[in-house]
Amino acid sequence: GDSVTQMEGPVTLSEEAFLTINCTYTATGYPSLFWYVQYPGEGLQLLLKATKADDKGSNKGFEATYRKETTSFHLEKGSVQVSDSAVYFCALSLSSNTGKLIFGQGTTLQVKP
Amino acid sequence: DAGVIQSPRHEVTEMGQEVTLRCKPISGHNSLFWYRQTMMRGLELLIYFNNNVPIDDSGMPEDRFSAKMPNASFSTLKIQPSEPRDSAVYFCASSLTSRSYEQYFGPGTRLTVT
């Protein structure tokens, strides 16, 4: 079945370091891909998305490119800030167009000053 | 605009008691989702509704859990009887349509069953 696998955390970085959080997926058809972020004590919120192969989603300095050949959607940011500390979830839409999302297990990012 | 509203934000109850969690989706959104988040199991989809109709409840753990959506602006998730293993954060989310994958999450209800 459809699934999402993320790198295990926590990921601990110093401020201004480069961030990569790996995400790979298994899916039938052509899913859309998403990154959601959860700040402490809050619900998830959409960070960026890509709906077809080679699309790049970007927001708040974060980027991710939909790579069909490697079934990946890695999240990157060139210079992280302490305020980026959160849990990041990779997700895909089911090809059945039901609106249902499949989430990865989440990766905790801790950025130290 | 108000986002997704959940109540209560925190609930502490004793094993065996009935618990009801409430959700008000964003006005105009036609799809509503209930999730459960725990350290052990991560984020799990319990059930979701399109136009107030339950579409997929395969994630509901067992018969102790039930969910309703009597109208477009209100949904409940009920646990009866509650057990300690139900302790988790429960999120409600809504989206504009069944084909709109941007889901808007509420702040969650932290449930503790002692």
Side-chain angles (χ1 to χ4, degrees):
Chain A
D2 295 4
S3 66
V4 175
T5 302
Q6 293 180 230
M7 62 187 290
E8 287 194 21
V11 173
T12 303
L13 296 173
S14 297
E15 206 165 22
E16 300 184 2
F18 184 87
L19 168 71
T20 300
I21 300 178
N22 291 339
C23 171
T24 57
Y25 68 91
T26 301
T28 55
Y30 302 96
S32 294
L33 300 173
F34 307 84
W35 278 101
Y36 277 76
V37 59
Q38 183 180 27
Y39 297 104
E42 299 182 9
L44 282 70
Q45 54 186 274
L46 180 66
L47 179 60
L48 53 84
K49 65 180 180 183
T51 57
K52 60 183 187 296
D54 299 326
D55 269 3
K56 178 186 285 188
S58 61
N59 186 25
K60 299 181 181 180
F62 291 89
E63 293 183 340
T65 301
Y66 188 164
R67 301 285 189 200
K68 191 171 184 296
E69 63 276 12
T70 54
T71 62
S72 65
F73 192 55
H74 304 322
L75 182 67
E76 297 181 337
K77 186 175 185 183
S79 176
V80 294
Q81 305 300 312
V82 172
S83 57
D84 294 327
S85 298
V87 182
Y88 292 81
F89 292 87
C90 185
L92 64 80
S93 62
L94 288 182
S95 55
S96 55
N97 272 344
T98 59
K100 185 175 177 179
L101 291 173
I102 302 297
F103 286 91
Q105 70 270 37
T107 301
T108 299
L109 170 65
Q110 299 173 341
V111 181
K112 298 186 174 181
Chain B
D1 278 343
V4 174
I5 299 172
Q6 290 187 246
S7 64
R9 292 295 308 276
H10 301 275
E11 176 79 39
V12 180
T13 191
E14 292 184 348
M15 182 173 63
Q17 297 299 305
E18 176 180 297
V19 175
T20 299
L21 311 181
R22 298 174 176 80
C23 175
K24 177 179 170 54
I26 293 173
S27 178
H29 282 195
N30 293 326
S31 296
L32 183 140
F33 306 80
W34 281 103
Y35 292 89
R36 177 172 69 176
Q37 186 178 40
T38 61
M39 289 293 292
M40 291 296 295
R41 300 174 68 90
L43 190 65
E44 303 173 276
L45 177 65
L46 301 178
I47 184 171
Y48 74 97
F49 297 82
N50 281 340
N51 295 314
N52 313 337
V53 176
I55 301 301
D56 183 351
D57 65 355
S58 60
M60 296 286 261
E62 48 198 270
D63 291 345
R64 298 185 297 106
F65 285 69
S66 62
K68 294 182 179 179
M69 192 165 186
N71 57 63
S73 59
F74 184 65
S75 177
T76 60
L77 178 67
K78 185 177 294 186
I79 308 172
Q80 166 63 23
S82 58
E83 296 182 3
R85 61 191 168 126
D86 301 329
S87 297
V89 180
Y90 291 81
F91 289 104
C92 175
S94 68
S95 65
L96 191 58
T97 70
S98 63
R99 295 190 177 193
S100 169
Y101 292 102
E102 180 167 0
Q103 295 183 13
Y104 293 79
F105 282 71
T109 295
R110 181 174 294 279
L111 173 65
T112 303
V113 183
T114 61

